[in-house]
Amino acid sequence: MKITASDILEASILIVDDQESNVALLEQLLSEAGYTSVSSTMTPQEVCALHRKNRYDLILLDLQMPAMDGFQVMEGLKTNDADAYLPVLVITAQPGHKLRALRAGAKDFVSKPFDLVEVRTRIHNLLEVRLLYKKLENYSKLLEQTVQERTAELRESEARYRSLTELASDWYWEQDENMNFTKVSGPVLEMLGIRVDSLAGDAGGVQPAGWNEAERKLLQERIAARQPFLDFVFSRVNADGSQQKFQVSGEPMFTQSCRFIGYRGIGVELTTKN
């Protein structure tokens, strides 16, 4: 987010002073320094409306003006919710006003009579900070939009993934971080009477009969180690002596901060496909 010399010279500046001679001096100073977007007003009551319309990068504000002084102008500028950064450089001939002006929200000050080198330096430095702030603000908005778009894409991708796995398999499942099943799809579970808990073991109930315990143990170990597995085959022998084989694939799920949140996977019965 580099700010170039061209960026600074093209920044928008508003001069606010009730003295025409001061306005002319500042306009000449800025013009000679190469600034190309400078405007002015001798009516402080117009400043808030002008800033809402033009969003100036810097306002050079005289503090001592009739009808409405610089402090009142700054209070009015603070009501603009669209601008969290108050880009004000105050101009004062009263040393005692400097601290009050900074407390009121001004970012810096210059003293009358002007030291032209000091004025140019302070204007340049404040504009550099202001433009960096704007770039950071725009980058944050772009990042937020990108995150929202990416999140929507991931949700759409997840929906497609689930749809495809349901078409390509007999069942789809998800488990939470405690290995409790939270989602199961596919009528084969009801048709075959398969207990889904059998995929990872059922610590709280009666173990289903007939499963190959060596295969089941190996699968449980992989899940406990949070490892992915592809086309893992395990089997069971039914009460009538017939054998069923199943093939499962699964992967652990993690958040962006790498916190484990469970498993998801697909399964298919191989017996009926032979």
Side-chain angles (χ1 to χ4, degrees):
M1 290 187 288
K2 183 180 179 180
I3 302 299
T4 66
S6 177
D7 292 332
I8 293 176
L9 293 177
E10 293 172 1
S12 58
I13 301 174
L14 176 67
I15 300 169
V16 185
D17 199 308
D18 65 312
Q19 298 294 320
E20 187 174 355
S21 59
N22 288 336
V23 172
L25 176 60
L26 289 170
E27 286 180 336
Q28 181 181 355
L29 180 151
L30 292 170
S31 176
E32 291 176 351
Y35 291 95
T36 59
S37 182
V38 180
S39 56
S40 62
T41 180
M42 296 174 62
T43 307
Q45 294 90 335
E46 297 177 346
V47 174
C48 292
L50 287 171
H51 184 51
R52 280 195 297 270
K53 179 180 178 181
N54 300 301
R55 296 293 302 276
Y56 297 106
D57 296 309
L58 184 61
I59 300 174
L60 303 180
L61 177 65
D62 185 28
L63 287 181
Q64 292 181 293
M65 296 179 289
M68 186 177 190
D69 64 25
F71 294 105
Q72 292 172 307
V73 173
M74 284 189 285
E75 286 302 314
L77 289 170
K78 289 179 183 178
T79 63
N80 184 9
D81 294 335
D83 196 347
Y85 182 95
L86 195 63
V88 173
L89 174 65
V90 299
I91 303 169
T92 179
Q94 301 294 327
H97 286 169
K98 295 177 181 179
L99 182 57
R100 180 185 170 192
L102 293 174
R103 286 176 174 171
K107 295 298 179 280
D108 204 349
F109 58 84
V110 292
S111 301
K112 294 180 182 178
F114 298 131
D115 180 319
L116 300 185
V117 174
E118 178 187 5
V119 173
R120 283 196 297 266
T121 302
R122 291 185 184 274
I123 288 173
H124 179 280
N125 291 346
L126 276 182
L127 283 173
E128 187 173 28
V129 172
R130 169 61 169 170
L131 296 180
L132 280 170
Y133 180 89
K134 287 176 66 176
K135 282 200 172 186
L136 180 61
E137 187 178 38
N138 291 336
Y139 176 77
S140 297
K141 291 179 181 178
L142 178 62
L143 182 61
E144 182 180 358
Q145 180 182 351
T146 301
V147 169
Q148 291 175 348
E149 291 174 354
R150 181 58 178 153
T151 300
E153 290 173 0
L154 288 173
R155 288 174 178 170
E156 183 180 354
S157 177
E158 177 77 8
R160 288 199 301 267
Y161 172 82
R162 291 181 181 178
S163 177
L164 289 172
T165 54
E166 288 177 12
L167 291 173
S169 61
D170 289 336
W171 71 79
Y172 169 83
W173 88 87
E174 287 188 13
Q175 295 169 282
D176 61 21
E177 64 270 23
N178 297 315
M179 306 315 293
N180 297 314
F181 284 85
T182 57
K183 294 180 182 177
V184 176
S185 64
V188 71
L189 297 178
E190 292 80 12
M191 291 167 56
L192 299 179
I194 298 174
R195 294 186 58 182
V196 181
D197 289 295
S198 64
L199 294 175
D202 185 357
V206 178
Q207 293 287 344
W211 294 105
N212 184 308
E213 291 304 321
E215 295 170 347
R216 282 169 48 82
K217 182 179 180 182
L218 181 58
L219 178 60
Q220 292 169 17
E221 288 174 351
R222 291 190 181 181
I223 293 177
R226 298 174 184 174
Q227 295 177 347
F229 48 91
L230 178 66
D231 296 339
F232 182 91
V233 177
F234 65 104
S235 60
R236 72 172 178 180
V237 177
N238 297 315
D240 61 1
S242 62
Q243 186 180 58
Q244 286 180 296
K245 288 188 176 181
F246 302 88
Q247 181 175 281
V248 294
S249 298
E251 63 177 2
M253 298 184 293
F254 299 91
T255 65
Q256 290 185 341
S257 59
C258 298
R259 183 178 68 85
F260 174 71
I261 56 173
Y263 260 89
R264 66 181 176 187
I266 58 173
V268 63
E269 184 186 1
L270 299 177
T271 311
T272 58
K273 302 184 183 295
N274 292 334

